[in-house]
Structure formats: C-alpha cells, structure tokens
Amino acid sequence: MKNSARVAEEQAALWADRRRHGEMDDAADEALRAWLAAAPERARLLEAQERLLADPALATASATLAAEAGRRRRAWRVRPLPLSPSLWAGGMLAAASVTLAVLIWPSQPALVEQRLEGTAGRSLQAALDDGSSVQLNGDSRVRTAFGPERRDVWLSGEGFFSVAKDARRPFSVITATHRITALGTRFNVDERSGGAVEVTVLEGRVEVVPLNHPERGQVLNAGGRLLSDGATARAGAIERLDPEVRAPDWTEGWIDADNMSLADLLIELKRRSPGLEAEFADPALSRRRISGRFAASRPQDVLTVVADMQDLTLRRDASGRLLIDR
C-alpha cells in the first residue's frame, strides 16, 4: 500500500498531465477543484509537477525517447510521452535528475503512447500496444502510456477493455476522478455526470479507487457493477449482472437505464447521435431519475418517451436546439 504522500504526488502528476494535454472538461475541472480543496499542500504539488513538465530538459528527454521509440516500434505509429506519471510521480525532481534520465532511458524499453478517439454516433475498436483491446463509445477518447512497470490509460467518456494478462505490469484506466486497475480481465468504464464512474466487470476483477480518497477503494469481481460518486467518493451497493450478459449494452445499440439521472441519459444519447443538440431548460430537471431500456439509434424518440414518462415537454429554441422543459 502506498503512503498518502506518494499517492498525493501521483495524483498531482496525473492532473498536471491532463491539463498539459487539454483533457479537462467541466467534470474534470470540478473534480480538480475538489481535490485541491481537500488538502492545502496539493496546490504546491500540482505547481511542482507543472513546472517539471515545462522544464526545457524534459523536451530533450522527450526527443531522445522519440528517437528510441521510432527505432523500436515504427510499425505502430505511436509517440512516446515525455514522462509517464509512474516515472515522475515522485514529485520534486530537479532538472539535473531529468537530464540524467536521458542518459539512462535509451537502454530501457521506451514508453509509448497511443491516442484513439470515437466520434459521436460511431464507436471505435482498436488493438493496444500490449495486446489488449478497447472499444470506445461515441464521443470518447483514450490516451495510453505503456512502459516496463505499468500500463496507464487515460479515458474521457466510455470504453470497454479486454486486457492482456501481464502480472508484472498492472493495467489502469484513469478518469478525472478514479483509477480502475486490473491484471487480466474484461471490464467497462463509463464516466457519468459530476465525475461519477460506473464500472462493470465481465471477467476477472478490478480495483476501483477514487483519486480524492484512495483509502475508499473497492475490489469488484466478475459479474458485478459499481457506481462510484465523483464528489464524495462514496460507492453504491455492488449490483449483480444477469449471467447472460456478455458485453455492455451500448456495444449492442441499447441504453439500459437503472435509476439513471436524466443528465447521464442525455450524455449517453449524445455519444451515439452526431449533431444531437439537446439541453435542459432548468438544470434541476437533469437530476431526475429514470429506468428503462432505450434504443440509442433513435435519440429524439427516446427523448419524447422520456418527456412523456416524466411529465415534461420537448420544444425547440430559436437556434433549433431541443429543450427539455416542464
């Protein structure tokens, strides 16, 4: 078990990396503010990590790794990261130590990066560098960083992962608020509104750890589903899946809502529907809950049914956007 200081440094490294690569949305911004507010020293740790990423010596290290990765893995068309959080999460590295790393790293296996993106209305299935695979929902993105000691995947949206077994290198999916770690398994990670994540395990087992409260991590076994809140890091009861389930509902064109918020239902519809412009006239409506099975390919029909079930109305504003109103 890592001590709390090391965990805080790793978290600062992850936040600095997300900010550097422009991978922050409203939920991530909210989660970052909550993380910083939880302890006064976290702002200093984040600032230190961002200074490290901006250090000129790091650019030299990146160029060296790029050349090495190009020699080793030309066929993959991947790009090395400047540094993986597993290497620079220790925090206060001086420029001299980064420069020293340039002399050492070329003799080690290079860190490699892949970036994949599913556009709205279309999922994307791809092989990863380690032999694992991912199927991304629409409007979802991943960035991978695989090295000799760990395999990290940053996810924005929803992804279904089939993980190649490698006991020496844990496989972790990192969202704005959680880290989900597995060794060899098939599992789905769905970012929800407010920084919550829903994790579904079809094979093997995973550990779900809130970044703000790593002491509240939970192990989820095959056939289980867990919804973990982003703001409080509280996890709901583990639900058992139907034994017949072999893949997430979204991969088969459905949205299975089980007491789902209307905000999350709208997120799901927008992932599957390019050009869908719909909002809540009153943000309070987004917190209403609904259950049912909906065909994701017919978003306006779904919204019509939902409006009827919730005694709401659908109307278009002057710009043509659908508004969900009372």
Side-chain angles (χ1 to χ4, degrees):
M1 182 66 69
K2 297 175 184 175
N3 61 45
S4 58
R6 176 63 184 274
V7 169
E9 289 169 353
E10 283 199 354
Q11 292 170 353
L14 294 172
W15 283 120
D17 187 76
R18 287 194 74 149
R19 283 157 64 98
R20 177 181 175 85
H21 288 89
E23 296 176 355
M24 301 291 288
D25 54 18
D26 290 343
D29 286 334
E30 180 181 342
L32 176 56
R33 286 193 295 270
W35 181 79
L36 289 169
E41 70 274 8
R42 290 181 175 180
R44 177 180 56 81
L45 290 174
L46 180 61
E47 182 182 358
Q49 295 292 349
E50 291 182 330
R51 283 201 310 269
L52 175 62
L53 286 176
D55 195 295
L58 197 57
T60 303
S62 179
T64 303
L65 282 175
E68 180 68 11
R71 288 193 294 271
R72 292 173 180 270
R73 300 186 183 273
R74 293 183 188 280
W76 274 97
R77 294 185 180 179
V78 296
R79 293 171 295 161
L81 283 171
L83 278 175
S84 160
S86 64
L87 294 180
W88 46 258
M92 319 308 177
L93 290 175
S97 61
V98 177
T99 305
L100 177 61
V102 175
L103 301 177
I104 296 172
W105 289 349
S107 64
Q108 304 297 324
L111 291 167
V112 291
E113 178 188 66
Q114 288 174 275
R115 289 179 180 268
L116 303 168
E117 182 169 352
T119 57
R122 179 177 297 179
S123 65
L124 172 69
Q125 189 160 1
L128 301 181
D129 180 71
D130 67 330
S132 302
S133 66
V134 60
Q135 185 172 354
L136 286 177
N137 203 341
D139 196 25
S140 301
R141 292 161 295 284
V142 293
R143 178 173 57 81
T144 71
F146 292 163
E149 296 182 353
R150 63 194 306 162
R151 296 170 288 172
D152 286 338
V153 179
W154 284 265
L155 169 70
S156 175
E158 184 171 16
F160 179 39
F161 299 88
S162 295
V163 180
K165 288 186 169 122
D166 187 344
R168 299 177 299 105
R169 298 191 300 162
F171 186 104
S172 293
V173 176
I174 303 155
T175 72
T177 55
H178 290 74
R179 176 187 285 271
I180 300 95
T181 301
L183 289 177
T185 184
R186 296 169 66 238
F187 64 103
N188 192 76
V189 179
D190 181 10
E191 275 196 315
R192 297 288 185 86
S193 58
V197 295
E198 183 185 77
V199 181
T200 304
V201 180
L202 298 176
E203 292 179 11
R205 52 189 279 171
V206 303
E207 183 182 27
V208 182
V209 178
L211 295 179
N212 284 350
H213 295 277
E215 74 281 0
R216 296 183 185 173
Q218 287 187 264
V219 173
L220 186 60
N221 294 314
R225 176 185 291 127
L226 177 69
L227 181 65
S228 181
D229 182 75
T232 65
R234 291 194 182 95
I238 295 175
E239 302 175 16
R240 303 308 303 172
L241 303 178
D242 186 314
E244 298 301 316
V245 173
R246 294 290 179 265
D249 58 279
W250 68 266
T251 65
E252 298 173 347
W254 293 95
I255 300 172
D256 284 331
D258 183 8
N259 196 34
M260 179 183 284
S261 72
L262 295 190
D264 288 330
L265 179 62
L266 188 55
I267 288 172
E268 293 283 350
L269 289 172
K270 287 182 175 180
R271 286 174 181 165
R272 293 352 136 67
S273 309
L276 175 62
E277 295 187 8
E279 303 295 340
F280 297 96
D282 179 354
L285 298 177
S286 69
R287 296 192 288 272
R288 291 194 182 188
R289 320 294 294 190
I290 195 167
S291 296
R293 183 172 172 85
F294 305 100
S297 60
R298 299 195 296 274
Q300 188 157 342
D301 290 348
V302 172
L303 291 177
T304 300
V305 170
V306 169
D308 185 59
M309 293 171 67
Q310 295 280 328
D311 196 23
L312 299 173
T313 62
L314 282 180
R315 61 183 176 85
R316 291 192 181 273
D317 63 12
S319 68
R321 180 181 56 174
L322 277 172
L323 288 180
I324 305 163
D325 204 350
R326 286 186 172 84

